[in-house]
Amino acid sequence: MDGDCGQEGTHTYKSLAEDVPFSFVEPPKRSTGRLIMHSMAMFGREFCYAVEAAYVTPVLLSVGLPQSLYSMVWLLSPILGFLLQPVAGSTSDHCRSRWGRRRPYILTLCLLMLLGMALYLNGDAVISALIVNPKKKLVWDISVTMIGVVLFDFAADFIDGPIKAYLFDVCSHQDKERGLHYHALFTGFGGALGYILGAIDWAHLELRKLLGSEFQVMFFFSALVLISCFIIHLCSIPEAPLRDIAKDISPQQTLLDPPLSSNRMYEYGSIEKAKNGYVNPELAMQGERNKNPAHQTQKAMTMKTLLRELVNMPPHYRCLCISHLIGWTAFLSNMLFFTDFMGRIVYHGNPYSAHNSTEFLTYERGVEVGCWGLCINAVFSSLYSYFQKFMVSYIGLKGLYFMGYLLFGLGTGFIGLFPNVYSTLALSALFGAMSSTLYTVPFNLIAEYHREEEKERQQTPEGDLDGSSRGKGVDCAALTCMVQLAQILVGAGLGFLVNMAESVVVVVIAASTMSLIGCCFVALFVRYVD
């Protein structure tokens, strides 16, 4: 059922394919192995995310971070990501690196993730070796650890947009759907392995003694997994440099091309040049246009024009972004406080007691069990992602979207009303349905919208179309920056709610309420392509 968003007469996106003298040709079919290689980036990213979730609070507490600075740590990186991600998405649409449009950004963000992990997991050991004065050491420990956490969160959140745009660029519509399912599948596997690694007691193992501390053990495994996964990802499916695409167009063909309007901007389509003779006409022509300095100047996007494009996006894209924001706000509200909820409410521990007290040890036990709950969530997310491709043929994207929000809303509601160790662990499996849904369905809808618009362009006279400077990079960035906005809302609002209610139970109740509101929104307002 189509919602009110995206009715006839709304603004539509443009592609250069509408102006070329030959028909649009989709990229060649990708093998399962290539799509799995492409998905390894999500495995590595989520593995490191899980390690951060398990260790960042102990690290921050161990260096003596004041409680007043907690909100700064959790709010700074999403604020930066929310402001910069659409800009980078637009810039990547025009990137002319010989590596392609997306891979230079992915490589840079991967290195920033590695640097962030090195700072917050190893910063204390390095500062202790360099500085003897206790006061200076405290200041430097806190500063380096905060910078590491902010840098890692910023890069890890940011990198999802270029990865999705890379998939959309080099895959046909069917392969996009398969690729998104593999992304969600390996996201769950990576998170599960990261949580299991964090739950292991390394204190009495030889590797811990060899490397120095548990934090160094975590950095060793995280760096190894991250580097390996991203090398595989960057070698998965080649991108052709944007500046070299024009070489595939013969001079005679260029002379026969109709003149292009100077106020058109063209971003969409695959940027790979296949060995079997496939050439994307859109970017081939864009390469020709980029040779002209006047066009080069005109295609540059400023923050003002970018904000105008985001505000004036078609209504169905805006509704999809709002539903994504609601979903991530609900999901993060629960996930960021889940281990604390287990320690305080389920196990009745107290994190503010003396570290050798029964109440504190009970709280730590609850946190450890909470990590196993997050591991259950990650495993179920992978399993649910696998079965999604079979379920979609029966209930469609609308059914999958609605079911993910509904299961999460019911699960968190029951956990808040009936806090029990075994029921909480069992219901944490339902969190996986939500995470799998958030990683796949919205991006599937973006792909459906793009495919529908490609068909409309082929049937629409050239003179009836308006120019648009939006590209796939901007679309993916606009959707993924809703995650940063959700983090901002959660970081700024939930602490206030907990202080007002004087109980962490309010967190899971708020998550349940938000998710059930999201059920209504995705059913009534999100547009689904037949």
Side-chain angles (χ1 to χ4, degrees), residues 40-275:
M40 293 307 294
M42 302 304 293
F43 181 93
R45 169 181 177 263
E46 202 64 21
F47 180 92
C48 296
Y49 252 146
V51 170
E52 185 203 33
Y55 278 90
V56 71
T57 299
V59 168
L60 291 173
L61 292 174
S62 68
V63 299
L65 181 72
Q67 191 169 350
S68 59
L69 294 179
Y70 275 6
S71 60
M72 182 182 298
V73 172
W74 299 120
L75 288 178
L76 189 56
S77 62
I79 289 174
L80 290 173
F82 179 73
L83 294 175
L84 297 178
Q85 194 160 24
V87 177
S90 172
T91 306
S92 71
D93 283 330
H94 302 293
C95 178
R96 306 187 73 198
S97 165
R98 63 186 181 88
W99 257 38
R101 289 194 289 180
R102 317 299 178 186
R103 288 190 293 178
Y105 287 85
I106 294 172
L107 177 61
T108 302
L109 292 169
C110 173
L111 295 176
L112 290 178
M113 287 176 62
L114 190 63
L115 177 60
M117 284 193 303
L119 291 177
Y120 82 78
L121 288 174
N122 301 307
D124 182 42
V126 174
I127 296 300
S128 298
L130 296 177
I131 299 177
V132 179
N133 187 302
K135 291 185 178 180
K136 289 185 177 180
K137 178 181 178 300
L138 177 64
V139 173
W140 277 99
D141 276 346
I142 293 174
S143 301
V144 170
T145 304
M146 284 183 62
I147 291 171
V149 173
V150 170
L151 189 61
F152 174 82
D153 279 340
F154 170 77
D157 291 339
F158 214 126
I159 204 169
D160 191 46
I163 289 174
K164 293 296 191 298
Y166 177 18
L167 178 72
F168 286 7
D169 281 341
V170 298
C171 290
S172 64
H173 183 75
Q174 290 75 18
D175 287 340
K176 290 174 191 176
E177 293 180 342
R178 293 170 59 213
L180 289 172
H181 285 302
Y182 284 125
H183 278 198
L185 183 68
F186 282 92
T187 294
F189 283 152
L193 186 58
Y195 288 126
I196 290 174
L197 202 68
I200 294 175
D201 184 6
W202 296 95
H204 307 293
L205 299 180
E206 287 297 325
L207 187 60
R208 189 263 187 196
K209 297 176 183 178
L210 178 65
L211 295 178
S213 76
E214 196 169 358
F215 296 152
Q216 274 74 61
V217 173
M218 288 298 100
F219 175 73
F220 171 75
F221 283 110
S222 299
L224 182 64
V225 170
L226 185 70
I227 293 172
S228 302
C229 288
F230 273 87
I231 288 175
I232 295 172
H233 168 76
L234 293 172
C235 296
S236 60
I237 304 174
E239 291 183 282
L242 184 60
R243 61 187 179 184
D244 292 342
I245 298 290
K247 296 177 181 178
D248 294 316
I249 302 297
S250 65
Q252 294 83 358
Q253 200 169 32
T254 304
L255 292 173
L256 293 173
D257 286 339
L260 299 177
S261 173
S262 61
N263 60 359
R264 295 280 182 92
M265 306 301 263
Y266 305 104
E267 323 298 345
Y268 288 164
S270 167
I271 62 175
E272 181 183 353
K273 173 178 52 177
K275 291 184 175 66

Side-chain angles (χ1 to χ4, degrees), residues 474-495:
V474 179
D475 287 335
C476 293
L479 195 60
T480 55
C481 76
M482 294 299 105
V483 182
Q484 280 85 48
L485 183 55
Q487 288 179 337
I488 295 170
L489 296 176
V490 170
L494 279 188

